[in-house]
Amino acid sequence: MIKTSSCIFSFWVLICFLVVVAFGGTFDQEFEVTWGYGRVKILENGQLLTLSLDRSSGSGFKSKQQYMFAKIDMKIKLVPGNSAGTATTYYLSSVGSAHDEIDFEFLGNVSGEPYTLHTNVYAQGKGDREQQFHLWFDPTKDFHTYSILWNPRNIIFLVDGTPIRQYKNLEATNGIPYPKNQPMWLYSSLWNAEEWATRGGLVRTDWSKAPFIASYRNFNAQTSKNPIANSWLTQSLDNVGLARMKWVQKNYMIYNYCTDTKRFPQGFPHECTLN
């Protein structure tokens, strides 16, 4: 599904001779609480983390280390029941006005209606590259694996190993910014986004259902230290992976900035014709 090829970007020749180190320790070893301290719980000897949201506050955490290219996996079980107005975020980000960022956001809904999975890519402070999906399962019934593969060639978003989106590095050939110079932390949070999250804010949070809880397991990160190569640093989608991604996009994509003529009446962003 994901193919490995030799390095073709001369700038990244040294990057492709790095050794991968896998991080999969306990949540208290790998992460620190960033806000909502009493609402973050680490349970089962560090194997389970939960975030909660109530009317007073949400909560969040971040990795203790930064990543400069990585393959990140996390099992998440989203807020069950009436989750309208809630947003569960899971993303890589650097800091500053010209920051890079790779986003998963899960936008809640009323009971029986599907979550919206929102994705975005920021490079040098510019985002506006949104694609949104419904999922082909109920993400509140069990844990599912959400993965970010970020290497010098491309960014691939995966759900339970199925690719849903690919963003290619076209900077050298077409001048389109790509996240490649700034190490990023991994963040996650659960917060009140009722102003916009569900049907553009038409459906508000039912606080009688609080606290809302999202759960996390099985964090794993493959990252680089010198000096030996590893396959994920040069991976991209093969024909099988591309076919699976196209199946998801055909059947479950609900928004694509690259087809939004009202938003881009003068023509789509350049990467839309190349990615």
Side-chain angles (χ1 to χ4, degrees):
M1 184 184 75
I2 296 179
K3 67 182 179 182
T4 303
S5 59
S6 60
C7 299
I8 60 172
F9 304 107
S10 59
F11 183 80
W12 294 111
V13 167
L14 290 178
I15 291 291
C16 296
F17 290 95
L18 301 177
V19 64
V20 161
V21 176
F23 295 87
T26 60
F27 280 101
D28 50 343
Q29 291 172 331
E30 300 290 347
F31 296 97
E32 59 188 25
V33 178
T34 52
W35 61 296
Y37 289 82
R39 296 168 179 82
V40 182
K41 298 187 183 302
I42 297 177
L43 308 166
E44 299 181 6
N45 296 316
Q47 300 303 309
L48 173 68
L49 183 148
T50 63
L51 296 180
S52 67
L53 164 69
D54 56 41
R55 187 182 287 274
S56 298
S57 178
S59 51
F61 63 90
K62 65 175 281 193
S63 59
K64 291 181 179 179
Q65 71 157 349
Q66 293 174 291
Y67 306 103
M68 187 64 235
F69 301 123
K71 184 177 186 295
I72 306 287
D73 305 295
M74 184 86 80
K75 285 186 177 291
I76 305 174
K77 183 163 67 172
L78 297 176
V79 174
N82 185 354
S83 58
T86 69
T88 305
T89 68
Y90 163 61
Y91 61 101
L92 288 166
S93 182
S94 59
V95 296
S97 58
H99 76 292
D100 296 335
E101 188 172 323
I102 304 168
D103 288 347
F104 275 111
E105 295 185 19
F106 305 90
L107 309 181
N109 212 333
V110 296
S111 297
E113 295 298 319
Y115 263 79
T116 294
L117 171 53
H118 176 99
T119 66
N120 203 351
V121 175
Y122 286 73
Q124 300 172 26
K126 183 182 184 304
D128 301 327
R129 300 180 176 96
E130 302 92 344
Q131 291 183 354
Q132 295 182 338
F133 305 82
H134 287 156
L135 293 165
W136 49 97
F137 53 83
D138 184 343
T140 72
K141 297 296 186 185
D142 203 351
F143 288 88
H144 293 269
T145 302
Y146 302 92
S147 305
I148 298 169
L149 191 157
W150 168 44
N151 66 27
R153 299 176 60 84
N154 53 196
I155 296 162
I156 303 173
F157 297 78
L158 303 103
V159 177
D160 287 338
T162 296
I164 65 170
R165 178 177 185 179
Q166 180 183 40
Y167 185 83
K168 298 177 184 177
N169 183 356
L170 303 171
E171 186 162 351
T173 55
N174 293 280
I176 298 165
Y178 183 82
K180 68 183 192 308
N181 295 322
Q182 302 183 59
M184 296 195 261
W185 282 277
L186 178 65
Y187 295 85
S188 190
S189 63
L190 174 59
W191 57 288
N192 174 21
E194 67 177 355
E195 296 292 333
W196 61 273
T198 307
R199 295 182 58 198
L202 294 177
V203 181
R204 297 302 180 107
T205 305
D206 181 356
W207 292 109
S208 71
K209 306 298 183 185
F212 303 98
I213 296 174
S215 303
Y216 300 76
R217 286 190 184 275
N218 296 90
F219 163 73
N220 187 67
Q222 297 179 60
T223 187
S224 357
K225 307 279 182 181
N226 57 347
I228 301 173
N230 191 278
S231 62
W232 69 266
L233 275 167
T234 56
Q235 286 176 345
S236 57
L237 293 179
D238 61 14
N239 289 336
V240 174
L242 287 170
R244 293 179 70 183
M245 183 178 71
K246 288 177 181 178
W247 173 82
V248 171
Q249 293 182 351
K250 178 181 178 181
N251 292 284
Y252 295 99
M253 180 182 280
I254 58 172
Y255 177 79
N256 183 1
Y257 76 110
C258 285
T259 61
D260 192 339
T261 55
K262 291 183 179 179
R263 184 175 173 187
F264 301 106
Q266 304 304 317
F268 298 123
H270 189 35
E271 69 266 20
C272 291
T273 62
L274 300 169
N275 259 297

mmCIF file of all heavy atoms in Angstrom, residues 55-76:
data_model
loop_
_atom_site.group_PDB
_atom_site.id
_atom_site.type_symbol
_atom_site.label_atom_id
_atom_site.label_comp_id
_atom_site.label_asym_id
_atom_site.label_seq_id
_atom_site.Cartn_x
_atom_site.Cartn_y
_atom_site.Cartn_z
ATOM 1 N N ARG A 55 -18.481 22.532 31.212
ATOM 2 C CA ARG A 55 -18.807 23.921 30.885
ATOM 3 C C ARG A 55 -17.682 24.887 31.273
ATOM 4 O O ARG A 55 -17.490 25.925 30.643
ATOM 5 C CB ARG A 55 -20.111 24.331 31.582
ATOM 6 C CG ARG A 55 -20.620 25.700 31.163
ATOM 7 C CD ARG A 55 -21.873 26.063 31.926
ATOM 8 N NE ARG A 55 -23.015 25.320 31.474
ATOM 9 C CZ ARG A 55 -23.796 25.686 30.453
ATOM 10 N NH1 ARG A 55 -23.510 26.778 29.763
ATOM 11 N NH2 ARG A 55 -24.843 24.971 30.128
ATOM 12 N N SER A 56 -16.883 24.516 32.263
ATOM 13 C CA SER A 56 -15.826 25.407 32.739
ATOM 14 C C SER A 56 -14.582 25.367 31.878
ATOM 15 O O SER A 56 -13.918 26.382 31.665
ATOM 16 C CB SER A 56 -15.455 25.059 34.185
ATOM 17 O OG SER A 56 -16.557 25.237 35.039
ATOM 18 N N SER A 57 -14.221 24.171 31.394
ATOM 19 C CA SER A 57 -12.949 24.049 30.679
ATOM 20 C C SER A 57 -12.865 22.735 29.925
ATOM 21 O O SER A 57 -13.511 21.740 30.293
ATOM 22 C CB SER A 57 -11.777 24.126 31.672
ATOM 23 O OG SER A 57 -10.526 23.974 31.022
ATOM 24 N N GLY A 58 -12.018 22.738 28.902
ATOM 25 C CA GLY A 58 -11.603 21.516 28.251
ATOM 26 C C GLY A 58 -10.248 21.105 28.797
ATOM 27 O O GLY A 58 -9.875 21.471 29.923
ATOM 28 N N SER A 59 -9.466 20.384 27.989
ATOM 29 C CA SER A 59 -8.172 19.904 28.464
ATOM 30 C C SER A 59 -7.302 19.512 27.285
ATOM 31 O O SER A 59 -7.790 19.324 26.161
ATOM 32 C CB SER A 59 -8.354 18.722 29.423
ATOM 33 O OG SER A 59 -9.186 17.727 28.860
ATOM 34 N N GLY A 60 -5.993 19.366 27.553
ATOM 35 C CA GLY A 60 -5.089 19.020 26.462
ATOM 36 C C GLY A 60 -3.732 18.565 26.956
ATOM 37 O O GLY A 60 -3.379 18.739 28.129
ATOM 38 N N PHE A 61 -2.959 17.973 26.038
ATOM 39 C CA PHE A 61 -1.607 17.528 26.348
ATOM 40 C C PHE A 61 -0.727 17.688 25.125
ATOM 41 O O PHE A 61 -1.200 17.888 24.009
ATOM 42 C CB PHE A 61 -1.595 16.076 26.857
ATOM 43 C CG PHE A 61 -2.083 15.046 25.858
ATOM 44 C CD1 PHE A 61 -1.208 14.428 24.972
ATOM 45 C CD2 PHE A 61 -3.419 14.664 25.827
ATOM 46 C CE1 PHE A 61 -1.642 13.468 24.063
ATOM 47 C CE2 PHE A 61 -3.871 13.696 24.926
ATOM 48 C CZ PHE A 61 -2.986 13.098 24.046
ATOM 49 N N LYS A 62 0.592 17.595 25.324
ATOM 50 C CA LYS A 62 1.555 17.682 24.228
ATOM 51 C C LYS A 62 2.709 16.737 24.513
ATOM 52 O O LYS A 62 2.970 16.363 25.668
ATOM 53 C CB LYS A 62 2.073 19.113 24.040
ATOM 54 C CG LYS A 62 2.880 19.638 25.209
ATOM 55 C CD LYS A 62 3.489 21.013 24.937
ATOM 56 C CE LYS A 62 4.727 20.916 24.078
ATOM 57 N NZ LYS A 62 5.506 22.174 24.043
ATOM 58 N N SER A 63 3.419 16.374 23.453
ATOM 59 C CA SER A 63 4.584 15.506 23.600
ATOM 60 C C SER A 63 5.710 16.253 24.298
ATOM 61 O O SER A 63 5.838 17.475 24.188
ATOM 62 C CB SER A 63 5.047 15.000 22.235
ATOM 63 O OG SER A 63 5.384 16.083 21.386
ATOM 64 N N LYS A 64 6.542 15.502 25.002
ATOM 65 C CA LYS A 64 7.691 16.101 25.672
ATOM 66 C C LYS A 64 8.834 16.374 24.703
ATOM 67 O O LYS A 64 9.741 17.138 25.016
ATOM 68 C CB LYS A 64 8.158 15.189 26.799
ATOM 69 C CG LYS A 64 7.178 15.116 27.968
ATOM 70 C CD LYS A 64 7.698 14.219 29.078
ATOM 71 C CE LYS A 64 6.731 14.176 30.243
ATOM 72 N NZ LYS A 64 7.209 13.276 31.327
ATOM 73 N N GLN A 65 8.802 15.733 23.552
ATOM 74 C CA GLN A 65 9.855 15.960 22.574
ATOM 75 C C GLN A 65 9.263 16.435 21.249
ATOM 76 O O GLN A 65 8.074 16.253 20.975
ATOM 77 C CB GLN A 65 10.663 14.688 22.346
ATOM 78 C CG GLN A 65 9.915 13.610 21.601
ATOM 79 C CD GLN A 65 10.874 12.635 20.928
ATOM 80 O OE1 GLN A 65 12.070 12.874 20.845
ATOM 81 N NE2 GLN A 65 10.334 11.545 20.437
ATOM 82 N N GLN A 66 10.089 17.058 20.440
ATOM 83 C CA GLN A 66 9.726 17.460 19.097
ATOM 84 C C GLN A 66 10.128 16.375 18.101
ATOM 85 O O GLN A 66 11.009 15.564 18.368
ATOM 86 C CB GLN A 66 10.417 18.773 18.723
ATOM 87 C CG GLN A 66 9.951 19.987 19.501
ATOM 88 C CD GLN A 66 10.788 21.196 19.163
ATOM 89 O OE1 GLN A 66 11.967 21.273 19.502
ATOM 90 N NE2 GLN A 66 10.192 22.162 18.491
ATOM 91 N N TYR A 67 9.490 16.435 16.922
ATOM 92 C CA TYR A 67 9.773 15.482 15.855
ATOM 93 C C TYR A 67 10.157 16.243 14.595
ATOM 94 O O TYR A 67 9.502 17.214 14.224
ATOM 95 C CB TYR A 67 8.548 14.599 15.577
ATOM 96 C CG TYR A 67 8.022 13.914 16.812
ATOM 97 C CD1 TYR A 67 6.878 14.391 17.451
ATOM 98 C CD2 TYR A 67 8.670 12.815 17.351
ATOM 99 C CE1 TYR A 67 6.399 13.779 18.592
ATOM 100 C CE2 TYR A 67 8.198 12.194 18.496
ATOM 101 C CZ TYR A 67 7.060 12.678 19.116
ATOM 102 O OH TYR A 67 6.602 12.075 20.245
ATOM 103 N N MET A 68 11.217 15.789 13.943
ATOM 104 C CA MET A 68 11.603 16.326 12.636
ATOM 105 C C MET A 68 11.462 15.185 11.637
ATOM 106 O O MET A 68 12.374 14.386 11.454
ATOM 107 C CB MET A 68 13.039 16.848 12.680
ATOM 108 C CG MET A 68 13.462 17.579 11.391
ATOM 109 S SD MET A 68 12.511 19.062 11.087
ATOM 110 C CE MET A 68 11.889 18.732 9.442
ATOM 111 N N PHE A 69 10.289 15.092 11.029
ATOM 112 C CA PHE A 69 9.781 13.960 10.263
ATOM 113 C C PHE A 69 9.481 12.805 11.232
ATOM 114 O O PHE A 69 10.249 12.546 12.166
ATOM 115 C CB PHE A 69 10.731 13.520 9.152
ATOM 116 C CG PHE A 69 11.032 14.604 8.157
ATOM 117 C CD1 PHE A 69 12.341 15.005 7.916
ATOM 118 C CD2 PHE A 69 10.004 15.230 7.479
ATOM 119 C CE1 PHE A 69 12.616 16.007 7.002
ATOM 120 C CE2 PHE A 69 10.268 16.233 6.566
ATOM 121 C CZ PHE A 69 11.573 16.624 6.326
ATOM 122 N N ALA A 70 8.377 12.135 10.998
ATOM 123 C CA ALA A 70 7.958 11.069 11.905
ATOM 124 C C ALA A 70 6.798 10.298 11.293
ATOM 125 O O ALA A 70 6.125 10.776 10.380
ATOM 126 C CB ALA A 70 7.524 11.653 13.257
ATOM 127 N N LYS A 71 6.585 9.111 11.822
ATOM 128 C CA LYS A 71 5.332 8.379 11.620
ATOM 129 C C LYS A 71 4.713 8.210 12.994
ATOM 130 O O LYS A 71 5.274 7.554 13.872
ATOM 131 C CB LYS A 71 5.524 7.030 10.945
ATOM 132 C CG LYS A 71 4.189 6.336 10.657
ATOM 133 C CD LYS A 71 4.358 5.019 9.920
ATOM 134 C CE LYS A 71 3.000 4.451 9.521
ATOM 135 N NZ LYS A 71 2.167 4.094 10.694
ATOM 136 N N ILE A 72 3.561 8.841 13.183
ATOM 137 C CA ILE A 72 2.880 8.896 14.473
ATOM 138 C C ILE A 72 1.603 8.064 14.393
ATOM 139 O O ILE A 72 0.814 8.212 13.452
ATOM 140 C CB ILE A 72 2.505 10.341 14.847
ATOM 141 C CG1 ILE A 72 3.736 11.261 14.795
ATOM 142 C CG2 ILE A 72 1.812 10.380 16.202
ATOM 143 C CD1 ILE A 72 4.716 11.071 15.899
ATOM 144 N N ASP A 73 1.402 7.201 15.384
ATOM 145 C CA ASP A 73 0.159 6.429 15.498
ATOM 146 C C ASP A 73 -0.433 6.650 16.883
ATOM 147 O O ASP A 73 0.299 6.669 17.884
ATOM 148 C CB ASP A 73 0.414 4.927 15.321
ATOM 149 C CG ASP A 73 1.118 4.582 14.024
ATOM 150 O OD1 ASP A 73 0.533 4.799 12.958
ATOM 151 O OD2 ASP A 73 2.262 4.088 14.093
ATOM 152 N N MET A 74 -1.758 6.782 16.928
ATOM 153 C CA MET A 74 -2.458 6.880 18.212
ATOM 154 C C MET A 74 -3.830 6.244 18.057
ATOM 155 O O MET A 74 -4.545 6.495 17.078
ATOM 156 C CB MET A 74 -2.628 8.336 18.628
ATOM 157 C CG MET A 74 -3.262 8.506 19.996
ATOM 158 S SD MET A 74 -2.076 8.453 21.351
ATOM 159 C CE MET A 74 -1.431 10.136 21.268
ATOM 160 N N LYS A 75 -4.190 5.413 19.048
ATOM 161 C CA LYS A 75 -5.553 4.888 19.099
ATOM 162 C C LYS A 75 -6.410 5.853 19.910
ATOM 163 O O LYS A 75 -6.038 6.228 21.029
ATOM 164 C CB LYS A 75 -5.582 3.490 19.726
ATOM 165 C CG LYS A 75 -5.069 2.391 18.816
ATOM 166 C CD LYS A 75 -5.265 1.026 19.449
ATOM 167 C CE LYS A 75 -4.827 -0.091 18.511
ATOM 168 N NZ LYS A 75 -5.722 -0.220 17.345
ATOM 169 N N ILE A 76 -7.544 6.252 19.350
ATOM 170 C CA ILE A 76 -8.433 7.219 19.994
ATOM 171 C C ILE A 76 -9.862 6.682 19.962
ATOM 172 O O ILE A 76 -10.310 6.144 18.944
ATOM 173 C CB ILE A 76 -8.384 8.592 19.290
ATOM 174 C CG1 ILE A 76 -6.942 9.104 19.213
ATOM 175 C CG2 ILE A 76 -9.277 9.602 20.012
ATOM 176 C CD1 ILE A 76 -6.798 10.395 18.399
#
